[in-house]
Amino acid sequence: MFRWLRRLRALPSIPDAAWQGTLARYPFLNDLSDAERDSLRTLTAGFLSKKEFHGAHGFAITDEVVLAIAAQAVLPLLHLEGGLTWYDDFVGVVVHPSEVVAQRTTTDMAGVVHEYEEVVAGEAMDRGPVMLSWQDVLASSITSDTGYNVVIHEFAHKIDMRSGVADGCPPLPAGFAGTANAREARSAWLGALQSAYEVFREQTIVAERFGGAPPWLDAYGAESISEFFAVACEAYFVNRVRFAEEFPTLLALFDEFFLAGQADRA
């Protein structure tokens, strides 16, 4: 892998055949405009020049692996002010062949410690590496209809964590959505997100407990507002049309944030 990174740094751009192969495998990337694909390619090369990929359990890191992950990871940054600086709190990306069983510990309100296992397709650690299942990264090539994308999910958590805690509200720019200060901006963001989250959580509960129609988004988003933000980001970037139908208020909110720099890059 380190040889691959050194070779990439020595080139003026990502090899065209490898890049075109990545776009073909993940159609939502190929749906971008010509100018956006050029910007995505530049961001992808920049990401690869700064990050280190490691394969777990003997998993081989190849050109296909690093390009697939990097291109999807930087998609949320395409028009976001600050670009790759949103990801400057970590270096490592750990890739497993498939899902991982993670050991969890939690303490309830009575102070009792509970230990349990959770099967995960990815995990973003605060100021630490990002872990991904290659099996699920590959699945993102055919799951746009359901709004599923593990890479965008985990890197949305990284964006969220830039505010100091994963609470569904990333750091917002001055004057966001016409607000006068950071406190108003945060209140406006969380107000819109919380409202959508509560409706989604109710739909999920009704579906799971009473046989109601399941919501479109992954039910994992009902776990917390931070997970809802990450799940919503997945769908926003890979299936904007359906996301607009399901969450018109969030579409406007996310556009205000993620597309803030679009005019400057046009």
Side-chain angles (χ1 to χ4, degrees):
M1 179 55 209
F2 293 105
R3 288 195 300 273
W4 197 98
L5 282 178
R6 284 196 292 269
R7 175 159 56 84
L8 181 67
R9 290 191 184 108
L11 295 174
S13 63
I14 296 169
D16 193 59
W19 180 246
Q20 295 305 322
T22 301
L23 296 180
R25 184 178 289 277
Y26 302 95
F28 55 89
L29 298 179
N30 213 20
D31 287 342
L32 298 170
S33 69
D34 290 345
E36 287 174 323
R37 284 197 299 273
D38 288 344
S39 295
L40 187 77
R41 188 169 181 169
T42 300
L43 281 169
T44 299
F47 181 94
L48 290 172
S49 73
K50 297 175 182 293
K51 308 305 179 189
E52 296 176 0
F53 285 72
H54 307 275
H57 306 293
F59 181 76
I61 299 296
T62 65
D63 291 11
E64 178 189 357
V65 171
V66 297
L67 280 175
I69 292 172
Q72 293 176 79
V74 301
L75 181 58
L77 309 182
L78 194 56
H79 300 292
L80 191 57
E81 294 289 351
L84 289 169
T85 61
W86 286 89
Y87 298 157
D88 64 8
D89 67 324
F90 75 101
V91 174
V93 179
V94 181
V95 188
H96 289 255
S98 58
E99 294 177 326
V100 176
V101 178
Q103 303 297 321
R104 304 297 194 199
T105 301
T106 185
T107 304
D108 64 24
M109 296 182 66
V112 178
V113 176
H114 302 271
E115 296 183 351
Y116 63 98
E117 294 182 341
E118 181 182 11
V119 179
V120 296
E123 187 167 20
M125 302 173 193
D126 187 21
R127 298 191 177 278
V130 174
M131 183 278 288
L132 295 164
S133 154
W134 176 241
Q135 174 181 291
D136 287 84
V137 174
L138 277 178
S140 299
S141 65
I142 57 172
T143 55
S144 294
D145 286 349
T146 62
Y148 177 78
N149 188 291
V150 67
V151 180
I152 293 174
H153 182 103
E154 299 308 331
F155 282 88
H157 278 314
K158 277 294 188 182
I159 291 171
D160 185 9
M161 290 173 183
R162 295 292 293 192
S163 63
V165 62
D167 61 0
C169 183
L172 301 172
F176 177 78
T179 54
N181 53 53
R183 183 175 181 177
E184 283 188 11
R186 178 176 170 81
S187 178
W189 178 280
L190 287 177
L193 193 71
Q194 184 72 37
S195 179
Y197 168 64
E198 289 174 358
V199 171
F200 175 75
R201 188 169 183 274
E202 181 66 22
Q203 290 175 336
T204 302
I205 291 172
V206 170
E208 292 178 348
R209 298 182 183 176
F210 307 108
W216 173 56
L217 287 184
D218 186 348
Y220 189 64
E223 291 290 315
S224 67
I225 195 166
S226 63
E227 292 299 345
F228 178 67
F229 168 68
V231 167
C233 283
E234 296 176 55
Y236 171 77
F237 283 105
V238 305
N239 195 334
R240 180 181 175 86
V241 173
R242 180 67 184 273
F243 186 79
E245 295 172 356
E246 298 281 342
F247 300 98
T249 302
L250 287 189
L251 179 76
L253 186 76
F254 285 9
D255 279 353
E256 183 75 20
F257 179 70
F258 287 109
L259 301 183
Q262 187 169 30
D264 295 337
R265 301 185 190 188

